[in-house]
Amino acid sequence: MRSRFFPLPLDPRWRRLFGVALFLCLLYGFRHLTVLFVCFVLISRGLGKLASVIEDRLHVRRMRVLGSILAMFAAVTTVVVLVLVRTLAPLVREASGDWRGWFEALQNHPALEKLRDLTGVSGAGLVEQAKHHALDAVHVADATAHVLLYVLIGLIVAVMYSFEREELVHWRDGLYRGGIVDVLVRWFGYVSDAIVATARMQLVVAIVNTVVTLPILLLLGLKHVAMLSLLIIVSGLIPVVGNLVAGAVLCLVAYESRGAWAVGVFVASTFVLHKIESYYLNPRLAAEHVHLPALVLVGSLILFEHVFGLAGLFLSFPALYVGSRIRNEWLREVAEEDIVGGGLPAGA
């Protein structure tokens, strides 16, 4: 890793250490933009892949293809927003116009009286708890709005990247080969590849969970099968714990509809799916990208979850993927050093 601007030591090990330290500092310093970066990577890769397929099939210029895709996306988004506004606007007006009466009616509701008898909490206490939970809901809504804003920014940046991709590739090729900027750009490219690979893996897991669980939903005759299937798909995108969350919800729905025996069915299916995901699907899919023993992959998942909490479930595989790619770079550099016979590595 050579540089025209930093007086780095000649020993390649020190330069590699400096590069890793700078890379980790950038990841930590911009960790709050993770949602934006993930959205940018997934949207830009998906948009580019779709545009390439259409371009090859129809032999249409890439810019026209991108413009058509964005026009269709804008039209669909506009229709969805209009439908949501027309559906929610009457409810908002009704709630804002008579919210005091609604709140008083809620305080005198028989269900609330029964809750008071069961918990022994007075009406004022329940109101205070309701205010506390309402404040938590406001914080959640604020965080959700923040995330949605990053998603929107990621979409805009991804669209800009798609239209200026050739210019950016030309800029990338013009970087000083082996310099710090060149290395960091390449390593962040590895992060992008890891995000795409993780999304593909979890999508496969979500589809498997849905395909296995859907016949059980139909055989039990549960209501709202479409919504429950959507829940399974979305929760399947969360490594390890997503299946447990969906299983808990399905157990509650099954108990309300069919009784305790149906709960046993979903407990068994959730247990089996969790074991399949943890010890077969995830290690097998990860092994296609990271050539490590399954025990190392599972151990890394446990370690990252212990250190970083829920976020560690998402960080484990990308960290292994990026680390393995950087390690492969260094092995190639060592091989080139051996060929050259000492001195600076040819592509370091």
Side-chain angles (χ1 to χ4, degrees), residues 78 154 289:
T78 302
H289 305 280

Side-chain angles (χ1 to χ4, degrees), residues 17 27 70 73 99 117 148 164 178 200 224 228 235 283 286 317:
L17 179 62
L27 289 176
L70 294 176
F73 176 78
W99 68 273
D117 296 336
L148 291 177
E164 298 181 351
R200 288 175 179 170
H224 311 296
L228 292 176
S235 62
F317 173 75

Side-chain angles (χ1 to χ4, degrees), residues 22-163:
L22 181 58
F23 180 62
L24 294 177
C25 287
L26 290 175
L27 289 176
Y28 181 79
F30 294 98
R31 64 191 184 281
H32 300 299
L33 299 178
T34 301
V35 175
L36 190 155
F37 184 68
V38 170
C39 291
F40 162 73
V41 170
L42 295 179
I43 294 173
S44 61
R45 293 289 184 92
L47 189 60
K49 184 67 175 179
L50 180 60
S52 298
V53 171
I54 297 176
E55 183 182 10
D56 294 338
R57 295 286 180 86
L58 302 180
H59 304 288
V60 182
R61 291 183 59 187
R62 187 180 182 86
M63 290 299 179
R64 292 184 179 180
V65 174
L66 288 172
S68 301
I69 294 173
L70 294 176
M72 293 178 61
F73 176 78
V76 172
T77 303
T78 302
V79 171
V80 172
V81 170
L82 289 176
V83 170
L84 289 176
V85 169
R86 292 190 62 179
T87 304
L88 297 178
L91 298 176
V92 173
R93 285 197 297 266
E94 181 179 354
S96 60
D98 192 27
W99 68 273
R100 293 180 183 276
W102 176 82
F103 189 73
E104 293 176 359
L106 180 63
Q107 284 184 306
N108 299 323
H109 197 278
L112 191 59
E113 293 292 340
K114 186 178 295 186
L115 181 62
R116 292 170 183 166
D117 296 336
L118 291 174
T119 60
V121 181
S122 64
L126 287 174
V127 171
E128 289 299 322
Q129 292 182 14
K131 290 180 180 179
H132 176 72
H133 290 301
L135 185 61
D136 291 340
V138 170
H139 291 315
V140 172
D142 179 67
T144 303
H146 201 66
V147 171
L148 291 177
L149 178 61
Y150 277 156
V151 172
L152 178 60
I153 297 174
L155 172 62
I156 295 173
V157 176
V159 171
M160 294 174 62
Y161 170 83
S162 299
F163 279 100

Side-chain angles (χ1 to χ4, degrees), residues 210-232:
T210 306
V211 169
V212 173
T213 309
L214 183 58
I216 302 176
L217 298 177
L218 297 175
L219 289 174
L220 293 178
L222 299 183
K223 299 179 180 179
H224 311 296
V225 173
M227 293 298 298
L228 292 176
S229 300
L230 180 62
L231 169 67
I232 296 169

Side-chain angles (χ1 to χ4, degrees), residues 2-16:
R2 299 185 301 274
S3 175
R4 293 177 175 177
F5 308 104
F6 293 94
L8 299 177
L10 294 178
D11 192 330
R13 292 172 295 183
W14 284 107
R15 296 199 302 275
R16 291 165 189 161

Side-chain angles (χ1 to χ4, degrees), residues 236-307:
L237 299 176
I238 304 175
V240 183
V241 297
N243 177 258
L244 300 179
V245 172
V249 175
L250 291 174
C251 287
L252 291 175
V253 174
Y255 181 78
E256 291 291 334
S257 301
R258 297 299 177 188
W261 68 272
V263 175
V265 173
F266 280 114
V267 168
S269 65
T270 301
F271 176 81
V272 172
L273 285 174
H274 182 264
K275 297 306 177 185
I276 291 175
E277 176 185 350
S278 300
Y279 298 105
Y280 180 76
L281 275 180
N282 277 337
R284 189 177 183 86
L285 293 171
E288 296 180 2
H289 305 280
V290 179
H291 301 291
L292 292 172
L295 181 61
V296 175
L297 298 174
V298 175
S300 172
L301 196 65
I302 296 173
L303 179 63
F304 271 77
E305 191 277 333
H306 179 73
V307 175

